[in-house]
Amino acid sequence: MSDSVKSTDLSYSPVDTDFDPALGGFLKRGFDIAGALAGLIALSPLFLLIALLVRLSDGGSVFYGHRRIGRGGSIFHCLKFRTMVPDGDGVLASYFAANPDARAEWEATRKLKDDPRVTRVGAVLRKLSLDELPQIINILQGHMSIVGPRPVVHDELENYGNAAVFYLKSRPGLTGLWQVSGRNDVSYDSRVEFDRHYVENWSLKLDLHIIIKTVPAVCMARGSY
């Protein structure tokens, strides 16, 4: 879970985390730990309810961990409540074969508005962003922050170009500027600019502002699918 992505694998050079401290330093990290612990305690009944619903929906696993790129190019498993059928890769390949336009949509945004892999319970969890709650554990482990760029996979970071260095200076966030600014309704280039702006202008006040704006954004399910 702590592998590093070599510079020969991507079009950027990984940040040396031994000498380049994480965005926000001890202040941001302390805020993350306190907030994640409080959230985990307060939301434990909801965690148990969702876990039960996911298990009863098809008998599959409750959690899903996907390899994402973290600060400095490290690899971690980003945790989510499972929202897809077990054979997701096979289902997606068959769907692309029958729907070329869907493949183009996927290649452009890494998202599908009508994803055939998503279960009924999963669709509700995604709409309300509840599938991302297990990332509180990632925050406590130090892989993520409460606020930051959303975690990306290898192929996505290549789309950042020269702006990848800004992503790599921060821990990926449970929420972020992109999520409260339209999320999937904005272009990927806009997402990259949001991440760059966040890193260049970080402050604890900005984090608090984004957290406050996250609540109505989640409740209204703006740009989520």
Side-chain angles (χ1 to χ4, degrees):
M1 294 177 63
S2 60
D3 310 50
S4 292
V5 178
K6 297 180 180 179
S7 58
T8 53
D9 295 333
L10 294 173
S11 57
Y12 63 84
S13 297
V15 175
D16 189 340
T17 55
D18 292 331
F19 298 97
D20 192 353
L23 182 73
F26 291 112
L27 177 62
K28 185 173 175 62
R29 181 62 185 146
F31 180 79
D32 284 341
I33 293 173
L37 284 173
L40 195 60
I41 293 171
L43 297 172
S44 56
L46 181 60
F47 263 72
L48 293 174
L49 176 61
I50 294 175
L52 181 62
L53 290 174
V54 173
R55 171 68 77 175
L56 293 178
S57 65
D58 60 8
S61 60
V62 172
F63 298 106
Y64 174 74
H66 196 272
R67 287 167 60 89
R68 299 295 174 103
I69 297 178
R71 185 174 75 91
S74 62
I75 302 296
F76 72 99
H77 286 80
C78 184
L79 299 176
K80 291 187 176 186
F81 284 115
R82 184 177 60 82
T83 59
M84 296 184 178
V85 295
D87 185 24
D89 291 340
V91 171
L92 188 62
S94 298
Y95 185 70
F96 284 158
N99 300 272
D101 290 343
R103 179 182 290 278
E105 177 187 354
W106 174 261
E107 291 176 350
T109 65
R110 308 298 296 184
K111 294 277 188 178
L112 292 174
K113 287 188 175 181
D114 297 308
D115 197 319
R117 301 169 297 173
V118 179
T119 64
R120 291 183 179 179
V121 171
V124 176
L125 296 180
R126 286 184 164 212
K127 192 69 176 177
L128 299 175
S129 296
L130 294 175
D131 60 315
E132 297 171 357
L133 286 181
Q135 289 163 31
I136 292 176
I137 298 172
N138 287 128
I139 295 172
L140 291 174
Q141 292 174 328
H143 299 141
M144 293 181 63
S145 177
I146 294 176
V147 182
R150 281 300 294 159
V152 299
V153 297
H154 179 287
D155 292 344
E156 284 184 282
L157 193 56
E158 290 185 329
N159 295 331
Y160 274 62
N162 294 332
V165 66
F166 295 98
Y167 174 93
L168 295 169
K169 285 183 178 180
S170 62
R171 291 185 176 92
L174 176 61
T175 187
L177 193 56
W178 168 68
Q179 286 172 289
V180 300
S181 303
R183 202 170 177 176
N184 293 312
D185 290 337
V186 301
S187 69
Y188 206 96
D189 287 343
S190 295
R191 171 178 174 172
V192 172
E193 285 305 309
F194 284 135
D195 289 347
R196 179 171 186 160
H197 177 84
Y198 172 76
V199 173
E200 289 183 317
N201 298 277
W202 178 85
S203 68
L204 189 58
K205 180 180 179 180
L206 178 58
D207 276 4
L208 292 172
H209 176 71
I210 291 172
I211 291 170
I212 292 172
K213 290 189 69 176
T214 297
V215 176
V218 169
C219 292
M220 296 176 66
R222 292 200 296 262
S224 61
Y225 53 82

